[in-house]
Each structure stands twice: as structure tokens, then as C-alpha cells.
Amino acid sequence: MIKKVLLYCLLFASVFSFSQEIKYKEYSYTELFSMIEKEKDSVFELKDAIIKINPETDERFIITQEELQGLISGNEKFKEFEVSKRINKTIALNNVQFQLYDVINDKPTVAIIQNIEFLKPVTLINVSDVLFKNIKFNHKVKVSYTSNYKLIDNYNKIRFDHISLFYNCLFGNGLYLIKLLDNIKAQYGIKSSIIKSNGNIDNKNKIFPTILDLGLNDLFYVDFSNNYVEDYGASRFDIRNVDNFSFSNNTFENSVRLFIKSGRETKIINNHFKEQLFLDIEDLNTELTLDYKQFTNNLFSSNFNNYFFTQHDKLDSEFIADTERYSKRNIQFYLENALIKNEFSYKNEQKLKGRLYQMYRQYFDTDFANLVYADIKDLETKRSRYLYEQNPSFKGFFTWKINQFLKVFSAYGTEPARAVVFSMYVILLFAFIYLLFPNSWDSLGKKRLMHRFEFFQKYLRRNEGIHSIYLEGKEQEISSYNDFKNNLEKAHLDLPSFFISWSKPLYNASMLSSKLMARFLKTTDVLTGKWKDLTPKQKRWKNFQIGLLLTIGLLYDLFIKALNALMLSINTFTTLGFGEIPIKGLPRYLAIIQGFIGWFMLTIFSVSLISQLLN
């Protein structure tokens, strides 16, 4: 045992001593690409070098600091561009440091590599402070760091910020960025880029083929935004101990596995996941910004992977899973079968959603909390159906159906306003049914219609105007009003003056409707005289006049009948019964059913409203 410890110490000392003795070669940006062009081999390798800014030769590699800030803060999508140089060599850089900043003519400047097409694979090992813009990588791009990177301390000649940025780049055959080291607070950005496969991904891993693989640990800042990822394999993100992780405005055509652990500030917003996102967030802290609307029912826990590793062969051996773990066939089986039928998978899924629900509730984000809760209840409804089909019972059937009803009626109690809308639909439906059947409230309808035709019959047979005939029919009523007025005037000595003054408005109000109707009829009465004495042209005008008045009367009658039906429906819906129901036949029994429906729906509405008020 002691010999092994001594051996490890000697090896560590030798590595450390070797790292201190590295002699770094220095080149300008122009010299670097000149060496690449002159390389006769198909592979260009460079190790232990510093690429410095030469103001005299590197003008095409220099941008202002303001331009760099625009790249970092920009939110634009990928834009097509013209390349100025094509490199047909495999590029392998190991332990190469790029100078990022310099001051030229008293102005801060930044070095950048742009408008280049790499036709063959690019491998960057222990490379830092390099900015790429408008680059086409036609083959695989791999960025990684080894243990030697932690021992490098010979970069003190230039400013060393550990910054790497890929902006508006086209990755034609995938991107693989792996950093599993500690204590190096680097910053990475992959923005406004497209990541494709070209159908020939060189990936020997048949279980987890990926087009995008980011494994990042102990970094200061990671920005993955405004990118597009093609539908091939899966995208994997393993983000550990990253102080600031921004993941926004990306579009993924493939499935995504996102693992986040111990991040101080994490933003996952405005992404578009066309397939499933399998999420595993270890710490739901106050600095997590998670836009739940971006998931659109395709957010699931990382238990998917664990299910196929440990549970599937034991429980669902009839389904032969694909070797490729995240294949569309495997995912479809998990979502439609295992997630519902397998209790372990079901509870793990509800556990993730439950944690998110509690997080949103804790920070008073009611909108997102309601969305998560609805997803939780949706899955519960699917499992309730499965349990009922396995063991039919009234309890199981009721649990399944009540969940379905609650989803439609009030979004599981999260939208009381929806309950009001559905209640209005029920009231209007029953009001329409009541409208088709007579009830005691409409008993005067037929008499009123017959009285109206008798009135117009008199008008067509006499010379007086229509308003005179109307007042004649109201003579008894008007006479009683006049008698009331005359009695008041004669008794002015016997009654207090204020009593007489207060009685006059009653008379005026009683006479108002008769006066207004008489004035309206007099205004519309364009022709007087008997019908048989009118000329053909006058008869046509008279026909129009009578037809218009009859139509107005009919519309008024229909309005009153509809209003009665609506009032009857509202009364029935809001009370389970109000004594004698003013309707006969089948609608009488429908009124009782509506009363029960109203009681049930209003109870649920009350519970939903109280729940939202308490939240």
C-alpha cells in the first residue's frame, strides 16, 4: 500500500514538473492560419502555443469591444453568410491559448476568428479565449479539457479570461463540449447557431447517439441561446456547479436531456421543444427562472432513462426496446404505457411536477403553478382510467370521470371563470328547450296576439287614425287615471298639499306609456280612411305600415317569451326547486334535472373560487 502511494506521488510530481517546464511558442493570428495553409499533411496539429494579437498583421481578426458586447447580448437567430476562406485539413489544437483582448491606438480591441469554413473535423483540447463568428464546421467539433489544464500557469504574459464563444456558426456534424474539471471559472457561449448531423454522425455510441453533448462543470457562465438543433439522436446537457446558466430562445427538433445541479442562477425561458424534454434539476432555488409555458405538455422527468436501465425488462418484456435509448419508438412506449401503467415511473413523474408546483407556489407564480397542477391531474386521470380498466368498480369509474369533468369544467379548479362560462352554456341550452314549450308565464301570449289582430281589423274598417282607435281601446284605463287626477284636484282643501304633489307623478307615470304609444302610432299613420276606399298605391303603403307594426309586435312577444324562458332557466339552475314549476310535460322533468346540474356545478365553482382566493 505504501509503495502505491509513493508511486502516485512520484507520478503527480513528474506531471507537475513537466507542466512547469513547458516552452510555449508564440504566433500571431495571421501566422497561425498561414501555418495551416502551408501544412502538407491532411492534419494540422499545434500544441503548447500562445496566439497573440499583432496589430500590424491581424487587422482582419480584430473587432471593437462594442461589437463583442453586441455578440454577447444579441438575441438574433442564425443568419447566412459568405465564407472568405476554406480549410481542408483536420485541425487539432492542444494547450493553445488565444489572446482575446488588446489595446490598439488607445482603443480596446478584441480578436475573433470569422468567415471560415472548416471542411474536416476540429478538435480543441485545453484551448481558451477563442471567439468564433460566421464559421461553418462541416464535420465533428469536439472541445474538451484534461487534468493538465488545471496546472497551466504560464499564461501570465497576456490577459487570461477563459472565454470561448461560438456565434452564428453552422455545426454540420454535431458539437461536443466536455469539461469535467474543478476550480476553473470559465465562460462559454454558443449563440445564434445551427447544429446539424448531415446524416453521417461519427458516433460509436449506439445507446446514446447525440448531435449535441455539453458536459460542463464548475464554470462561471454558460450561455446557450437562439440556437437551432436538428432532429437526430438526442441533445444532452449536463450542467454542474455553473454559477450562471442561460438557456433561452432555442429550438430543438430532437429530444433533450437536461441535468442541472447546484447552479446559483439558472434561466430556462422561451425555448421551443418539438420533442420531449427530460428534465432533472437537483436544486430548485430562488434563482431558478423556469418558463413552464415553453414545454407544451412535453416535459418529463429523467426517470425515462432509469426505467429502461432497471425496470423495463422486469415489467414490460413483451416490448423489445430499441438499442438506441432515446429512440422515438422507446419514448412513445414510455409515454403511452410505462408512464401510466408502471407505478414507479408514474410516481417519479408526479414527483418532478410536484416539486415544480411547490416552487411556483412558494414564489407566488400562480399562472405557472396552475399549469403544472393541470399536468399533474392529466396524468392522474390517465392512470385512473388504467386502474379502472384493470379493476372495474364504481369508485374507480367515478374517480376517472370526475377528473375528466373537472378538466373541462374548471381546468381542475384552477379557472373559476371557465366554470361560469360553462354554467351560462347550460342555462342557455335549457332556456332554448323551455322556449319551445308553453308555460304559465306565457298564458297571456295568445290573447295578446288575438287582441292585436282585432285592433288592426277595426283600423282597416274605419276612417279614424290608428292612434284614435288605440286611445279608444284604452278609454276605460285612461278614464280611471283621469278620475284619480280629478279626485285629487277636488280634494285640495281636504288633503295636505305635499300629498297631492306626491300623487301627481304617479298619474304622469301611469299615463306616460299610453301617451308615448299614441304619439308613435300617430307619427307612423301615413294614411287614414277605410281599406276598401284606398287606391292600389295607397293600399301598398297601408300594407307596409300594418306589416311593420305586426312585425314589431311579434318581435316583442318573442322577446318576452325568450326572457321568460331565460328567467325560468336561471331560476331552476340556481335553486334546486322553487315550488310549483310553471311548465308541463317533459320540460317539467328537465327542470328538475337542471336544478341538480346547477347545484353540482355551482358547488364546484364555489370550491374553485375559494381555492383560487386562498392561493
Side-chain angles (χ1 to χ4, degrees), residues 265-534:
E265 182 176 351
T266 301
K267 293 182 179 180
I268 305 175
I269 56 176
N270 298 330
N271 298 288
H272 186 197
F273 301 97
K274 295 188 176 180
E275 298 295 332
Q276 289 71 31
L277 168 66
F278 297 96
L279 180 66
D280 188 352
I281 300 181
E282 187 170 285
D283 303 312
L284 297 178
N285 55 50
T286 57
E287 299 299 327
L288 172 63
T289 303
L290 188 66
D291 177 10
Y292 197 79
K293 290 185 295 185
Q294 66 192 313
F295 301 130
T296 60
N297 298 322
N298 57 0
L299 171 67
F300 301 94
S301 73
S302 59
N303 173 70
F304 167 83
N305 190 37
N306 183 51
Y307 167 78
F308 280 102
F309 264 123
T310 62
Q311 299 286 320
H312 173 68
D313 292 338
K314 301 176 183 177
L315 302 171
D316 302 296
S317 56
E318 294 182 0
F319 175 78
I320 308 301
D322 294 337
T323 303
E324 180 185 338
R325 187 57 43 82
Y326 284 88
S327 70
K328 296 185 183 301
R329 182 170 168 269
N330 284 2
I331 292 174
Q332 182 178 5
F333 174 81
Y334 179 78
L335 301 182
E336 296 179 358
N337 292 275
L339 194 59
I340 300 168
K341 299 177 181 180
N342 182 273
E343 185 176 5
F344 179 81
S345 298
Y346 168 76
K347 289 185 176 180
N348 270 277
E349 196 63 43
Q350 297 296 62
K351 180 180 178 181
L352 169 67
K353 301 290 178 61
R355 291 175 64 211
L356 292 175
Y357 176 72
Q358 291 298 332
M359 181 193 73
Y360 289 129
R361 286 284 304 274
Q362 183 179 357
Y363 301 115
F364 303 99
D365 194 337
T366 305
D367 291 338
F368 286 166
N370 287 343
L371 291 176
V372 179
Y373 183 74
D375 282 351
I376 292 174
K377 298 297 289 184
D378 278 341
L379 186 57
E380 180 184 301
T381 302
K382 293 178 182 178
R383 180 153 175 88
S384 297
R385 177 180 180 179
Y386 166 73
L387 294 176
Y388 167 73
E389 292 173 347
Q390 295 299 113
N391 185 22
S393 66
F394 174 76
K395 179 181 178 182
F397 179 79
F398 183 79
T399 301
W400 168 32
K401 288 301 179 181
I402 196 65
N403 272 4
Q404 287 184 322
F405 172 77
L406 288 175
K407 178 180 180 179
V408 175
F409 182 65
S410 63
Y412 301 110
T414 62
E415 296 183 24
R418 185 188 294 191
V420 175
V421 173
F422 274 93
S423 297
M424 291 301 302
Y425 289 157
V426 172
I427 290 173
L428 292 175
L429 173 63
F430 277 88
F432 176 75
I433 295 174
Y434 299 148
L435 183 65
L436 303 178
F437 295 87
N439 61 73
S440 60
W441 290 355
D442 295 326
S443 60
L444 299 178
K446 292 181 179 179
K447 293 182 179 179
R448 184 168 54 246
L449 191 62
M450 293 175 61
H451 174 73
R452 189 175 294 125
F453 274 93
E454 288 179 357
F455 170 78
F456 284 112
Q457 181 180 335
K458 290 181 181 179
Y459 172 57
L460 292 173
R461 289 180 172 182
R462 294 167 59 176
N463 290 319
E464 293 87 353
I466 192 170
H467 67 286
S468 299
I469 299 175
Y470 171 77
L471 292 175
E472 182 181 310
K474 290 280 185 177
E475 183 177 359
Q476 184 176 356
E477 180 180 344
I478 295 174
S479 177
S480 64
Y481 294 154
N482 290 330
D483 291 342
F484 172 77
K485 179 183 177 183
N486 293 332
N487 289 333
L488 288 175
E489 291 177 348
K490 291 178 181 179
H492 69 279
L493 296 177
D494 301 328
L495 298 175
S497 58
F498 81 89
F499 183 82
I500 297 175
S501 300
W502 287 6
S503 300
K504 287 183 178 179
L506 178 62
Y507 167 79
N508 294 330
S510 301
M511 291 292 295
L512 180 62
S513 61
S514 299
K515 290 180 178 180
L516 290 176
M517 180 57 70
R519 183 175 297 178
F520 170 76
L521 293 175
K522 185 176 182 180
T523 304
T524 58
D525 192 9
V526 293
L527 291 172
T528 57
K530 297 179 181 180
W531 167 262
K532 64 180 182 179
D533 298 333
L534 298 177

